[in-house]
């Protein structure tokens, strides 16, 4: 009664299960698992149809891919000036006007880095006269940049108030001044107007 079954007795049951799995299941017979709740079934169906990721790893992978695509579009927009994909700090008609206003003018500040390198080389030379000249050049460049920046600030602020009286202009002047410090060829978004061409 409690003895273990022999191998001969166990073997036929394996065959029976194999035979049963091949035969079609009766629709009225129990399926061997509980029926899912309607809300769970609907959620699973929605997730499958929407293409939403099923696990965290898949979600992270999709997020990285989407970020990579966005960055590629942003780089293209910075090169072409396409408004749709520009970063938030460069978007809008006010920022576009500021960029065009700065790019249409000759600014001393954009030559600050090359001039600074030249002055630094001159100051290293151990000749008193050349070191004095380099010091005067430093002062001259700084004064010219300050005067040019102050003039640009007043002109830009006036133009913004005339053209965009009802739009927010916070940070637009600082945005323009930061753009003047970059060399024209290295500016992003790329300049869309030529020098002397008024926006």
């Amino acid at each position: 009664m409690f003895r273990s079954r022999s191998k001969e007795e166990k073997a036929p049951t394996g065959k029976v299960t194999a035979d049963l799995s091949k035969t079609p299941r009766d629709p009225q017979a129990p399926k061997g698992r509980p029926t899912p709740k309607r809300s769970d079934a609907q959620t699973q169906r929605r997730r499958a149809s929407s293409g939403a990721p099923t696990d965290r790893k898949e979600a992270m992978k999709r997020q990285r891919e989407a970020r990579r695509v966005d960055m590629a579009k942003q780089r293209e927009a910075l090169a072409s000036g396409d408004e749709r994909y520009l970063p938030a700090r460069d978007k809008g008609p006010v920022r576009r006007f500021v960029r065009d206003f700065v790019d249409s003018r000759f600014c001393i500040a954009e030559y600050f880095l090359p001039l600074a390198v030249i002055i630094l080389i001159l100051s290293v030379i151990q000749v008193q006269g050349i070191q004095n000249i380099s010091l005067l050049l430093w002062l001259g460049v700084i004064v010219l940049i300050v005067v040019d920046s102050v003039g640009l600030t007043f002109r830009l602020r006036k133009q913004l108030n005339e053209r965009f009286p009802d739009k927010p202009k916070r940070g637009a002047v600082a945005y323009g001044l930061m753009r003047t410090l970059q060399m024209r060829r290295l500016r992003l978004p790329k300049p869309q107007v030529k020098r002397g061409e008024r926006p």
Side-chain angles (χ1 to χ4, degrees):
M1 184 169 146
F2 294 108
R3 73 184 202 283
S4 64
R5 297 160 101 188
S6 65
K7 288 180 185 176
E8 291 80 20
E9 289 175 348
K10 285 181 183 175
T13 55
K15 285 181 186 175
V16 171
T17 24
D19 293 341
L20 286 174
S21 63
K22 287 177 187 173
T23 57
R25 191 176 71 82
D26 180 19
Q28 300 298 323
K31 58 184 177 289
R33 60 182 168 82
T35 304
K37 291 182 183 176
R38 179 177 288 184
S39 59
D40 294 342
Q42 285 175 344
T43 306
Q44 283 179 351
R45 263 199 307 275
R46 246 184 262 122
R47 189 176 288 164
S49 64
S50 68
T54 51
D55 61 344
R56 189 169 175 269
K57 194 174 179 182
E58 180 68 23
M60 292 297 286
K61 187 178 174 185
R62 287 191 190 185
Q63 195 174 5
R64 271 197 306 274
E65 184 64 26
R67 197 180 307 123
R68 192 183 63 74
V69 169
D70 287 345
M71 290 301 288
K73 283 181 181 177
Q74 207 172 84
R75 275 194 300 275
E76 285 175 25
L78 286 170
S80 64
D82 188 359
E83 276 287 318
R84 293 173 298 168
Y85 303 114
L86 283 176
R89 69 182 174 90
D90 297 314
K91 273 187 180 174
V94 174
R95 296 297 169 110
R96 189 181 336 121
F97 174 76
V98 170
R99 286 196 302 273
D100 293 346
F101 187 86
V102 169
D103 295 337
S104 67
R105 283 166 168 69
F106 171 81
C107 299
I108 297 163
E110 70 181 279
Y111 297 107
F112 174 73
L113 281 177
L115 287 170
V117 171
I118 292 166
I119 293 167
L120 195 63
I121 291 166
L122 289 174
S123 66
V124 170
I125 298 168
Q126 296 296 321
V127 178
Q128 190 63 39
I130 294 174
Q131 286 184 342
N132 289 340
I133 289 168
S134 69
L135 188 63
L136 287 171
L137 278 172
W138 261 126
L139 291 171
V141 166
I142 289 167
V143 167
L144 284 171
I145 287 172
V146 168
V147 169
D148 189 37
S149 298
V150 168
L152 181 79
T153 301
F154 282 117
R155 288 194 300 273
L156 182 56
R157 197 168 279 155
K158 185 183 173 188
Q159 288 287 325
L160 286 171
N161 288 332
E162 284 176 10
R163 292 188 184 225
F164 307 101
D166 54 343
K167 293 205 174 182
K169 297 174 281 291
R170 188 174 176 217
V173 175
Y175 175 75
L177 289 174
M178 288 303 293
R179 194 167 173 84
T180 62
L181 290 169
Q182 300 164 343
M183 293 181 76
R184 186 181 166 86
R185 282 181 308 165
L186 305 176
R187 289 174 185 168
L188 288 174
K190 295 279 184 193
Q192 302 295 311
V193 294
K194 296 175 183 174
R195 286 197 200 272
E197 184 183 331
R198 293 289 175 249

